[in-house]
């Protein structure tokens, strides 16, 4: 067992992990942050995306011990300080960017990373960026629309599908 300490959503947290413990498992099982979803265990679906030191990563492909000392942001840390939805979360709600919600945490975390890198992406840039995130319900159209809206762009011309 190895003791790991990291700052998660602004709070220092620590725990003992086995060498094979994945970050996704540590967040969910040890820290109780179950918003990070595990959909495939093979880093194919993107449901487990979190930010490590400001970079979006698939937490099912990172060992918890590898991020000892890191700053981690999860979906639980995305809301505004008063608990209200942040601009991305609100856009997903307003533009129906979710259905079952299983992929939503990973999509929101990926969207946050994209908008940090590219504050005004084109529709194609959003679609390209989300290539590693799978949604089995929405067909992506309203997810893309939600991200475009979160960037402050007019999405009135984007037809619903």
């Amino acid at each position: 067992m190895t003791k790991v300490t990291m700052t998660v959503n602004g709070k220092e947290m620590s725990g003992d992990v086995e060498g094979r413990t994945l970050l996704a498992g540590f967040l969910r099982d040890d820290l109780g942050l179950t918003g990070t979803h595990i959909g495939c265990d093979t880093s194919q679906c993107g449901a487990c995306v979190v930010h490590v030191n400001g970079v979006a990563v698939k937490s099912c492909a990172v060992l918890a011990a590898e991020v000892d000392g890191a700053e981690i942001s999860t979906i639980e840390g995305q809301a505004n300080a008063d608990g209200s939805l942040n601009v991305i979360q609100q856009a997903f709600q307003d533009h129906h960017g979710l259905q079952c919600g299983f992929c939503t945490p990973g999509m929101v975390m990926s969207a946050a990373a994209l908008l940090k890198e590219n504050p005004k992406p084109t529709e194609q840039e959003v679609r390209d960026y989300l290539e590693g995130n799978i949604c089995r319900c929405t067909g992506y159209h309203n997810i893309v629309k939600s991200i475009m809206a979160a960037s402050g762009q007019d999405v009135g011309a984007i037809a619903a599908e």
Side-chain angles (χ1 to χ4, degrees):
M1 297 290 264
T2 302
K3 183 172 185 81
V4 295
T5 302
M6 56 192 75
T7 303
V8 182
N9 300 324
K11 297 177 185 169
E12 188 173 294
M13 299 184 171
S14 61
D16 293 320
V17 298
E18 294 181 26
R20 64 185 174 159
T21 302
L22 297 172
L23 178 57
F26 180 69
L27 292 170
R28 291 180 57 79
D29 301 335
D30 294 280
L31 301 183
L33 298 171
T34 57
T36 299
H37 293 163
I38 300 171
C40 67
D41 270 338
T42 60
S43 75
Q44 300 296 310
C45 75
C48 68
V49 172
V50 299
H51 298 176
V52 176
N53 295 327
V55 177
V57 300
K58 293 179 180 178
S59 63
C60 76
V62 175
L63 296 172
E66 290 179 309
V67 296
D68 185 33
E71 298 260 345
I72 311 294
S73 297
T74 70
I75 191 67
E76 288 90 350
Q78 296 305 296
N80 294 319
D82 66 0
S84 63
L85 299 178
N86 75 12
V87 67
I88 298 168
Q89 294 168 315
Q90 189 63 55
F92 269 70
Q93 182 177 0
D94 293 346
H95 297 281
H96 311 288
L98 57 103
Q99 283 183 2
C100 82
F102 192 82
C103 72
T104 305
M107 291 288 187
V108 168
M109 297 304 291
S110 292
L114 167 61
L115 295 178
K116 180 181 173 187
E117 290 175 23
N118 183 355
K120 297 286 184 198
T122 65
E123 183 176 343
Q124 189 58 51
E125 288 171 331
V126 172
R127 290 183 183 281
D128 291 345
Y129 198 89
L130 294 179
E131 187 174 311
N133 292 71
I134 295 174
C135 176
R136 292 181 172 93
C137 300
T138 68
Y140 299 92
H141 186 74
N142 287 338
I143 292 170
V144 172
K145 188 175 185 178
S146 298
I147 295 169
M148 299 286 292
S151 75
Q153 298 182 67
D154 179 16
V155 295
I158 300 175
E161 288 183 5

